[in-house]
Amino acid sequence: VANTNVGLFADHLLVYYEGGLPHSMHPETLDTQGTYNFGGALDILCTAHYKIEPSTGNMLFYSAIGPRLTWYEADTSGTVVDSFGFDMGCPAMVHDYIVSEHLAIFLISPNQFRLDRIMEGRPGVLWDESATPNGSRFAVLDRRTHEVTWYDTGLMLAPTHFFNAHETATGIVVDLHVIARLGNPADDSDEPIDSHSWFPPAMAWRFVLDTATGTTTQHMHSGIAGEFPKINDAWLGKENRFGYFATTRDLSPLTLTDGLARHDFSTGQTVVLEGPDGLTSPSEPVFVQRRGASGENDGYLLTLWWNPATGLSELLVHEADAFTREPLARVKLPVRVPFAFHGSWAEAEVLDAAIAAQR
Ligand SMILES: [Fe+2]
């Protein structure tokens, strides 16, 4: 049932979900080959939101089981070369995180993942503010020293997904989408609630963590609701200018998302593209850097859109810099790709090498 994210790593096509280990698939035939445990280093589960460090190609990832979070670094052969575990203080659901040059940054929120309740057939994703009485807290792991520093925000909110983070002379800057609540209310947790109440619209925020005082400040980046933030991954961990996301302006029961947005962190401006010819519900925008790129925004955006007239999906290719409504290309698919999963891309040479490694 792994379905949350996918990517080529160490010559394996790996499909991730946070309920277990990733599954390896044949990169050409897509045959399922079984679970992948990084040479035996992982035993139960693995985040779907791994990061690839641009300077090394190493995978930076974690597993969160109950109140325990373990962070890992695997080299490009899939061998775990570093790991460190710490206690989160509560069984927080940690769906995504972010890294900067030297740090791994987690936001621990009232959003709980309660496996014990799931085993009883009850809702297991809860919103329990009693678990974080001082509000949501950033846990910042120094990847060099394994020191963990906590920053209380004083705010009850949860991260959904992160754009990026970078370090400055005085602090840590974290850009992400946050949500006012997520999951079933802890005090009324067996009642089904509709999806827009379970997961209300998220907004893009910036948090600045002051390393001298241990305090945080924050502001909203964009007044346009959205989710699935992405950047040019070559800028992971360092200051970047552009972020992309899918908008959630409309709360229609038929659609998940309704526009493709580009946010300019230097001007504060958000531009939204509507779907051509009635296409809607764009997926997470995956940024593909152009070969020999001249700058951060020199590349393409890949999004999957839904055509309500045919019920089928299309892959759209937009130029990131021009960012015009009319895409460069539309690839019509014979199926509808379900909403809300993540995606990735790989250079043809990387895919070919993974296929060759199977022979
Ligand atoms: Fe996700």
Side-chain angles (χ1 to χ4, degrees):
V1 296
N3 58 9
T4 310
N5 201 358
V6 62
L8 275 166
F9 180 70
D11 287 335
H12 287 76
L13 177 60
L14 298 178
V15 187
Y16 302 80
Y17 72 126
E18 57 199 49
L21 294 171
H23 278 69
S24 179
M25 297 170 74
H26 191 288
E28 189 167 34
T29 67
L30 304 185
D31 287 338
T32 301
Q33 297 173 322
T35 54
Y36 183 85
N37 63 10
F38 296 86
L42 269 72
D43 53 1
I44 298 176
L45 55 81
C46 171
T47 178
H49 282 296
Y50 62 86
K51 313 295 175 193
I52 302 295
E53 188 168 48
S55 60
T56 61
N58 287 0
M59 182 183 285
L60 311 175
F61 61 109
Y62 62 91
S63 67
I65 303 171
R68 189 81 180 160
L69 190 147
T70 308
W71 175 83
Y72 300 92
E73 175 172 358
D75 67 17
T76 54
S77 75
T79 302
V80 170
V81 294
D82 192 21
S83 70
F84 181 75
F86 66 94
D87 195 315
M88 298 187 283
C90 58
M93 182 159 156
V94 185
H95 177 71
D96 192 10
Y97 86 126
I98 196 66
V99 298
S100 59
E101 188 180 1
H102 303 109
L103 309 170
I105 301 160
F106 305 88
L107 181 53
I108 309 305
S109 81
N111 183 209
Q112 311 277 299
F113 184 73
R114 293 280 302 276
L115 194 59
D116 56 320
R117 292 174 49 92
I118 292 171
M119 299 295 280
E120 296 167 359
R122 303 164 71 196
V125 176
L126 299 187
W127 187 255
D128 182 3
E129 296 186 359
S130 70
T132 54
N134 297 320
S136 300
R137 316 178 70 197
F138 282 96
V140 177
L141 168 66
D142 190 315
R143 290 152 45 198
R144 298 162 297 188
T145 62
H146 293 167
E147 182 185 8
V148 178
T149 307
W150 292 87
Y151 297 81
D152 286 341
T153 68
L155 302 168
M156 296 291 181
L157 44 76
T160 57
H161 296 100
F162 292 76
F163 284 104
N164 202 6
H166 67 272
E167 297 156 30
T168 68
T170 57
I172 307 157
V173 179
V174 185
D175 295 324
L176 74 165
H177 274 99
V178 298
I179 197 167
R181 63 178 188 280
L182 205 178
N184 284 64
D187 54 1
D188 187 19
S189 55
D190 286 357
E191 284 298 313
I193 56 177
D194 73 78
S195 63
H196 290 308
S197 299
W198 196 90
F199 195 111
M203 305 296 285
W205 283 61
R206 167 165 290 185
F207 281 79
V208 179
L209 285 51
D210 186 316
T211 46
T213 63
T215 58
T216 69
T217 53
Q218 64 282 324
H219 67 267
M220 193 185 290
H221 267 311
S222 173
I224 297 173
E227 239 285 83
F228 298 123
K230 290 290 273 190
I231 62 164
N232 178 345
D233 287 331
W235 261 253
L236 178 66
K238 55 189 181 186
E239 185 170 10
N240 68 302
R241 177 171 172 184
F242 295 105
Y244 305 90
F245 59 95
T247 63
T248 53
R249 297 165 294 176
D250 184 14
L251 293 180
S252 162
L254 296 178
T255 59
L256 183 77
T257 58
D258 44 38
L260 175 60
R262 181 179 74 190
H263 186 73
D264 184 333
F265 292 109
S266 68
T267 65
Q269 186 188 33
T270 308
V271 178
V272 180
L273 300 185
E274 310 296 337
D277 298 335
L279 298 185
T280 186
S281 290
S283 69
E284 171 181 74
V286 174
F287 190 99
V288 180
Q289 185 168 268
R290 193 192 306 270
R291 278 177 203 261
S294 60
E296 178 191 341
N297 211 24
D298 191 5
Y300 308 96
L301 293 165
L302 308 183
T303 40
L304 288 163
W305 296 66
W306 177 56
N307 184 341
T310 62
L312 304 177
S313 299
E314 294 188 22
L315 173 72
L316 267 50
V317 182
H318 285 90
E319 216 160 9
D321 200 36
F323 205 62
T324 55
R325 182 176 190 178
E326 209 49 46
L328 283 176
R330 292 170 63 167
V331 182
K332 299 193 177 191
L333 304 180
V335 294
R336 182 183 79 85
V337 178
F339 299 154
F341 299 105
H342 297 283
S344 69
W345 70 284
E347 296 277 5
E349 294 85 341
V350 174
L351 176 61
D352 289 345
I355 293 168
Q358 299 279 332
R359 296 194 180 116

